[in-house]
Every structure is written in structure tokens, then in C-alpha cells.
């Protein structure tokens, strides 16, 4: 604890009224320092507001992290890029650091068999974007489709779409797992069309475009969806052996590898 005299009750009340909890917390210390070192008034004000702004930013990022639905431990820092030579680390880092693609509503599409790190990589990208102030939401595609279908039944689809619009990036993880009967209502197509050239999507899939007919009601809709998705997109092909399986094999190299 500091030995500084506490701030006056009146100042405390005003800072509460103004919702400036950080200034309220640091004011006594900073005022003492300012008095002791003879700071000009402006310097004290700047120091106080800097603290308030920095903590607001931290709280904002914490809120964005909490709403994003991400696995906390799937980050770019623990993604082993050497396991996926077809994916350039520099390209992924550029997506994480430069946000022009988000401003233009461009997409990221990740393809590859199960276990190659698609979800991990996209989750790592999301963490990095959140740290730099963006809002993202990570959804299992079939869960989201189910939710949108329910919203349509309740005549709440526009509201639900508007809720998703707050996110600069929406992840649809495992698009190929959307079930045939879920495709009937075409909400997924509407979501893609709605975000086209405005808000970004990141999609993971273990089947190539040619098999997406399973996911949409009719071939024309598949073509239209694919068209919009690839128009402005980065495609990451991850056709390697499952990371898990390789890791298991490395741990017990005596055992024969099998699927
Ligand atoms: P996919 O989404 O392609 O099915 P996941 O992202 O779920 O694969 O990866 C499967 C598991 O292997 C996860 O626990 C993930 O963290 C790990 N993993 C996969 N690829 C890598 C990688 N290149 N570096 C570190 N961990 C990886
Ligand atoms: Mg996955």
C-alpha cells in the first residue's frame, strides 16, 4: 500500500459518478508523486487519463475474448508451422497483423482432412485479432446453422443476423459437417450472402468445394456460395497427415502407424 493521503470523499464521489474507477484507484499515488516532484498540472492529468484509457482497453479486450468462444490454448504461438509445409507462416502472420482484409470483408478458407490443425490455426488467428482490438466469434458451423434455423422459425432471423454482424470475423468451423436436413432452410447461404464483401468469414472444411452440394439445398446455391466465398479469399490447403496421429507415433515409435 502507498503512504499517500487518500483522495477526498468529494473527489471519490465524482470519479464514481463519472465511471472512472482506475483514476479513483491511482489518484492518491499520482497526486502525491505530482506534488513531490512538482509536475505541471497537465502532466498529472495526462498520467491519470492514460491509466484510465489503458485499463478500459484491457477490459474491452477481455470482454471480446470472453464472447469469442475460443479454446484458450489454441494459439499461433503454439502452432507448429513446420508440420504443415503448405501453409506459409508469413502469410498467416500477415493475416494476424494486417487488417485490410477484415475491412474489406475478405475470407479465409482452410481445407484439409481431420486432425491437421485447421481449428487450431484459425483459433490462433482469432486470438491474435482479438489482441489487436477486433471482435470475432468462433462457431461450429452446424451449431450456428441450427441456431439460425430456430431464429427463422421464431421470426427472429434478422435480429440474429444483426447480432452476428458485430463480429469482424465469424468462424464457421467444420462446414462439411452441416447435415443434409439442415441444408433445407438455406440459412447458411443467406449468412454467406449477407456478409459478402462486408464482413469476413473463416471457414474450415475437410471436403473440397466439389462436395459442398451436401451442404446446400441445390447445386446453383452451392455455386453461388462458393463464388462469393472465394471472390476475396485466402485459401490455406492443409493436406498433411493428422498431427495427433503423428504425435502419437512420435511418442511410441515402436508401434506401427495406423489410421
Ligand atoms: P482439425 O481442425 O484440422 O481437425 P485440430 O485443429 O482440431 O485439427 O487439431 C487436432 C489436435 O492437434 C489439436 O489438439 C491441435 O491443437 C493439435 N494440432 C494440430 N496441428 C497442430 C500443429 N501444427 N501444431 C500444434 N498443434 C497442432
Ligand atoms: Mg477442427
Amino acid at each position: 500500500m502507498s503512504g499517500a493521503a487518500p483522495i477526498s470523499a468529494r473527489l471519490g464521489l465524482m470519479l464514481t459518478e463519472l465511471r472512472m474507477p482506475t483514476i479513483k484507484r491511482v489518484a492518491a499515488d499520482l497526486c502525491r508523486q505530482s506534488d513531490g516532484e512538482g509536475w505541471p498540472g497537465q502532466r498529472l492529468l495526462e498520467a491519470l487519463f492514460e491509466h484510465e484509457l489503458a485499463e478500459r482497453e484491457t477490459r474491452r479486450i477481455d470482454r471480446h475474448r470472453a464472447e469469442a468462444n475460443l479454446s484458450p490454448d489454441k494459439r499461433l504461438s503454439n502452432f507448429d508451422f513446420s508440420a504443415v509445409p503448405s501453409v506459409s507462416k508469413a502469410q498467416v502472420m500477415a493475416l494476424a497483423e494486417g487488417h485490410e482484409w477484415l475491412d474489406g470483408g475478405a475470407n479465409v478458407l482452410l481445407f484439409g482432412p481431420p486432425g491437421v490443425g485447421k481449428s487450431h490455426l484459425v483459433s490462433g488467428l482469432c486470438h491474435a485479432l482479438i489482441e489487436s482490438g477486433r471482435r470475432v466469434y468462433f462457431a461450429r458451423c452446424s451449431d450456428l446453422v441450427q441456431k439460425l434455423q430456430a431464429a427463422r422459425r421464431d421470426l427472429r432471423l434478422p435480429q440474429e443476423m444483426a447480432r452476428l454482424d458485430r463480429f469482424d470475423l465469424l468462424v464457421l468451423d467444420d462446414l462439411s459437417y452441416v447435415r443434409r436436413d439442415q441444408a433445407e432452410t438455406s440459412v447458411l447461404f443467406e449468412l454467406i450472402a449477407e456478409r459478402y464483401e462486408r464482413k469476413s468469414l473463416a471457414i474450415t472444411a475437410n471436403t473440397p468445394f466439389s462436395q459442398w452440394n451436401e451442404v446446400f439445398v441445390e447445386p446453383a446455391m452451392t455455386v453461388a456460395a462458393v463464388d462469393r466465398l472465394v471472390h476475396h479469399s485466402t485459401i490455406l490447403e492443409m493436406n498433411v497427415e493428422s498431427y495427433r496421429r503423428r504425435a502419437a507415433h512420435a511418442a511410441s515409435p515402436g508401434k506401427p502407424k495406423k489410421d
Side-chain angles (χ1 to χ4, degrees), residues 91 95 99-111 122 125 129 167-172 191-204 209 212 224-236:
Q91 192 178 19
L95 290 171
H99 295 184
E100 299 82 18
W101 65 284
L102 288 178
D103 297 329
N107 304 316
V108 181
L109 311 174
L110 302 95
F111 292 100
V122 81
L125 180 59
L129 294 174
F167 299 108
D168 302 299
L169 179 67
L170 175 60
V171 179
L172 305 179
L191 178 65
I192 291 167
E194 167 91 10
R195 289 181 79 90
Y196 178 58
E197 289 194 322
R198 287 193 317 108
K199 296 273 172 164
S200 299
L201 288 168
I203 292 183
T204 75
F209 292 131
W212 285 18
V226 170
D227 231 47
R228 284 171 172 78
L229 289 174
V230 298
H231 186 189
H232 309 283
S233 70
T234 300
I235 296 182
L236 303 175

Side-chain angles (χ1 to χ4, degrees), residues 178-240:
V178 170
R179 295 193 318 271
R180 185 76 203 156
D181 60 322
Q182 289 191 309
E184 305 295 317
T185 58
S186 77
V187 283
L188 181 57
F189 178 77
E190 281 170 53
L191 178 65
I192 291 167
E194 167 91 10
R195 289 181 79 90
Y196 178 58
E197 289 194 322
R198 287 193 317 108
K199 296 273 172 164
S200 299
L201 288 168
I203 292 183
T204 75
N206 53 29
T207 53
F209 292 131
S210 56
Q211 286 167 39
W212 285 18
N213 272 324
E214 291 297 311
V215 173
F216 296 97
V217 191
E218 50 186 40
M221 198 181 273
T222 311
V223 172
V226 170
D227 231 47
R228 284 171 172 78
L229 289 174
V230 298
H231 186 189
H232 309 283
S233 70
T234 300
I235 296 182
L236 303 175
E237 294 275 3
M238 303 171 71
N239 284 313
V240 289

Side-chain angles (χ1 to χ4, degrees), residues 52-254:
E52 186 69 44
L53 284 174
E55 248 188 54
R56 282 187 188 191
E57 176 69 3
T58 307
R59 282 199 299 271
R60 205 161 63 91
I61 290 177
D62 287 347
R63 276 200 309 278
H64 292 177
R65 198 180 293 112
E67 76 185 355
N69 193 32
L70 292 171
S71 311
D73 54 339
K74 309 284 179 204
R75 298 184 174 257
L76 292 180
S77 56
N78 60 7
F79 187 81
D80 174 8
F81 282 90
S82 70
V84 202
S86 59
V87 168
S88 134
K89 179 173 183 180
Q91 192 178 19
V92 174
M93 291 327 232
L95 290 171
E97 285 155 19
H99 295 184
E100 299 82 18
W101 65 284
L102 288 178
D103 297 329
N107 304 316
V108 181
L109 311 174
L110 302 95
F111 292 100
V116 295
K118 301 182 297 297
S119 301
H120 186 141
L121 186 58
V122 81
S123 157
L125 180 59
C126 287
H127 276 295
L129 294 174
I130 290 171
E131 302 294 332
S132 52
R134 294 305 191 124
R135 290 181 77 177
V136 311
Y137 185 69
F138 185 105
R140 285 194 18 220
C141 192
S142 57
D143 290 350
L144 189 68
V145 166
Q146 208 167 359
K147 201 165 170 187
L148 292 176
Q149 283 181 311
R152 158 162 293 159
R153 273 194 302 275
D154 302 344
L155 307 176
R156 287 187 294 105
L157 189 58
Q159 288 92 315
E160 201 58 36
M161 291 281 197
R163 210 182 59 79
L164 295 173
D165 225 50
R166 294 177 304 179
F167 299 108
D168 302 299
L169 179 67
L170 175 60
V171 179
L172 305 179
D173 193 35
D174 281 325
L175 177 111
S176 349
Y177 292 165
V178 170
R179 295 193 318 271
R180 185 76 203 156
D181 60 322
Q182 289 191 309
E184 305 295 317
T185 58
S186 77
V187 283
L188 181 57
F189 178 77
E190 281 170 53
L191 178 65
I192 291 167
E194 167 91 10
R195 289 181 79 90
Y196 178 58
E197 289 194 322
R198 287 193 317 108
K199 296 273 172 164
S200 299
L201 288 168
I203 292 183
T204 75
N206 53 29
T207 53
F209 292 131
S210 56
Q211 286 167 39
W212 285 18
N213 272 324
E214 291 297 311
V215 173
F216 296 97
V217 191
E218 50 186 40
M221 198 181 273
T222 311
V223 172
V226 170
D227 231 47
R228 284 171 172 78
L229 289 174
V230 298
H231 186 189
H232 309 283
S233 70
T234 300
I235 296 182
L236 303 175
E237 294 275 3
M238 303 171 71
N239 284 313
V240 289
E241 195 192 348
S242 157
Y243 189 84
R244 262 187 301 246
R245 201 159 55 224
R246 268 191 288 173
H249 180 67
S252 52

